[in-house]
Amino acid sequence: MRAFFFILRALPILFLGLLLHYVLPQHDIVRITSTEVIRTDFSSFNRIFYAQADSGANELATRDLRLINTSKKKTFLLGFIQRDAEGVMVYRNEDTGWIWPPYFKFDSSDLQAEASNAARTDGWSVITHYGWRIRWASIYPNAIGIRPIEGPDVRVIPWFNIFFFVFLIFAIGMVRAMWFQFRERALDPALDSAGDKMDQVSAGVAERRSWVRRWLNSWRKKENRR
């Protein structure tokens, strides 16, 4: 039973962690090798992992999808520790518009031009993106920005994520303190008052029962005398 309740408590935390890992920006050190546009048919499963059509275009079941092919520097611990090895990574390039996640990206065409220009050189770049690469479901992370760097050993500090988690911890602490204060000032007195009233009602019921017993006993004594 303890394991069951532990799982129930851990599931919301796990879900929140996966959501933040998918939505928050990540930075990959890559060498852009090529760009392409493919025709994509979305399935009922992978459709939720794609953004909307470009701003001003109609949303259809089938549409063109911009891809950015790269050679990525492999890392440990979610990108914090770099490795000497390289691997391939494919990014999609879609507008997010005004919907979720709130990146307000409207420049997918410009970003594709920047990627094509970077592919003509042999230099390294930092791609900022969100999302996951799931190969068996044809799901790609969405590129948000590209900027050139001097080499593959440049360390990128995720300032936005640092500030976000500091703010999140501060907000959770504030909400927790407000909840305890509200419970101390409003809920606890109300519960104590309700408990006192329940005790008074119980005492009244017990007193009435006692009076009924005494009344019945008095009649029994009279019957015994007869």
Side-chain angles (χ1 to χ4, degrees):
M1 186 60 69
R2 290 183 178 179
F4 176 74
F5 284 110
F6 175 79
I7 293 174
L8 286 182
R9 294 176 181 176
L11 283 178
I13 299 175
L14 178 62
F15 177 78
L16 178 61
L18 291 174
L19 178 65
L20 292 178
H21 184 262
Y22 181 85
V23 172
L24 289 178
Q26 302 178 38
H27 308 279
D28 294 341
I29 297 178
V30 302
R31 186 170 54 238
I32 299 175
T33 56
S34 64
T35 61
E36 60 179 324
V37 179
I38 62 173
R39 197 69 177 174
T40 302
D41 297 320
F42 300 109
S43 67
S44 58
F45 173 76
N46 68 2
R47 182 65 187 87
I48 62 175
F49 292 94
Y50 284 87
Q52 65 180 14
D54 288 350
S55 300
N58 294 325
E59 184 65 38
L60 301 175
T62 301
R63 59 179 169 86
D64 291 337
L65 181 67
R66 301 184 184 93
L67 297 181
I68 301 175
N69 304 315
T70 69
S71 176
K72 175 190 170 184
K73 191 80 172 177
K74 291 186 177 180
T75 58
F76 290 117
L77 295 177
L78 302 177
F80 287 98
I81 301 177
Q82 295 184 5
R83 297 170 53 186
D84 293 333
E86 295 182 17
V88 297
M89 176 60 70
V90 182
Y91 304 86
R92 60 188 166 97
N93 180 19
E94 293 182 298
D95 286 348
T96 60
W98 302 100
I99 63 173
W100 180 265
Y103 283 95
F104 309 112
K105 178 187 174 187
F106 299 94
D107 60 345
S108 295
S109 298
D110 297 340
L111 190 65
Q112 195 75 3
E114 293 180 21
S116 298
N117 186 40
R120 297 189 182 96
T121 67
D122 197 28
W124 290 84
S125 304
V126 172
I127 286 189
T128 302
H129 68 90
Y130 73 89
W132 301 324
R133 176 70 171 106
I134 305 178
R135 290 176 173 82
W136 58 268
S138 297
I139 296 171
Y140 310 92
N142 191 11
I144 301 300
I146 299 173
R147 64 180 178 88
I149 56 176
E150 296 179 355
D153 297 327
V154 173
R155 182 173 298 276
V156 181
I157 301 177
W159 290 112
F160 178 86
N161 293 349
I162 293 173
F163 290 134
F164 174 82
F165 281 109
V166 169
F167 173 79
L168 182 63
I169 294 172
F170 175 77
I172 292 175
M174 288 293 295
V175 171
R176 186 171 181 269
M178 292 172 62
W179 165 250
F180 284 139
Q181 192 174 31
F182 172 75
R183 189 178 69 177
E184 181 180 356
R185 293 183 177 180
L187 291 183
D188 290 346
L191 292 175
D192 292 340
S193 177
D196 294 339
K197 290 181 179 179
M198 289 296 296
D199 293 338
Q200 293 175 2
V201 171
S202 299
V205 172
E207 185 178 355
R208 292 187 184 92
R209 288 178 178 175
S210 177
W211 180 84
V212 171
R213 285 197 197 95
R214 289 197 301 269
W215 182 74
L216 291 175
N217 290 333
S218 65
W219 278 97
R220 289 172 183 170
K221 289 178 181 179
K222 290 180 181 180
E223 291 178 355
N224 292 333
R225 290 175 185 175
R226 293 177 184 176

